[in-house]
């Protein structure tokens, strides 16, 4: 795998994380959606975005692993968006 392929794959993963983060913030703002389900929805959204990217341009998520790899990479990216949100919250909390 060449460095350009690795950078492209990282860019796609970061894009999925950002999209999932935005979706998660929207779900958080929508009071009818329970907060405890947001990480699950982020995993599902990430997996769905991974599948979309796989079918649009399979090479963007790496050539090894096929559809299952795209689902896993997408789901982990979605969960990373939840982790980013928690890092932000904890950093804003500060030391008491």
């Amino acid at each position: 795998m060449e460095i350009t392929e690795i950078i492209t794959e990282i860019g796609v993963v970061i894009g999925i994380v950002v999209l999932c983060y935005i979706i998660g913030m929207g779900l958080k703002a929508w009071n009818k959606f329970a907060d405890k389900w947001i990480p699950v929805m982020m995993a599902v959204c990430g997996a769905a975005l991974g599948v979309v990217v796989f079918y649009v341009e399979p090479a963007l998520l790496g050539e090894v692993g096929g559809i299952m790899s795209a689902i896993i990479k997408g789901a982990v990216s979605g969960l990373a968006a939840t982790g980013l949100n928690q890092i932000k919250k904890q950093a804003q909390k500060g030391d008491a």
Side-chain angles (χ1 to χ4, degrees), residues 20-89:
C20 286
Y21 185 83
I22 292 168
I23 292 168
M25 294 304 288
L27 289 175
K28 178 79 173 162
W30 186 35
N31 294 329
K32 296 182 182 192
F33 197 83
D35 289 349
K36 68 180 182 179
W37 294 109
I38 291 176
V40 174
M41 280 304 297
M42 293 305 88
V44 170
C45 287
L49 287 169
V51 169
V52 168
V53 170
F54 178 78
Y55 281 112
V56 170
E57 185 59 49
L60 290 178
L61 282 176
E63 297 175 3
V64 180
I67 188 71
M68 204 59 202
S69 177
I71 291 170
I72 292 169
K73 287 177 185 178
V76 170
S77 298
L79 290 172
T82 306
L84 282 176
N85 181 270
Q86 289 303 308
I87 290 170
K88 178 182 152 199
K89 276 186 173 180

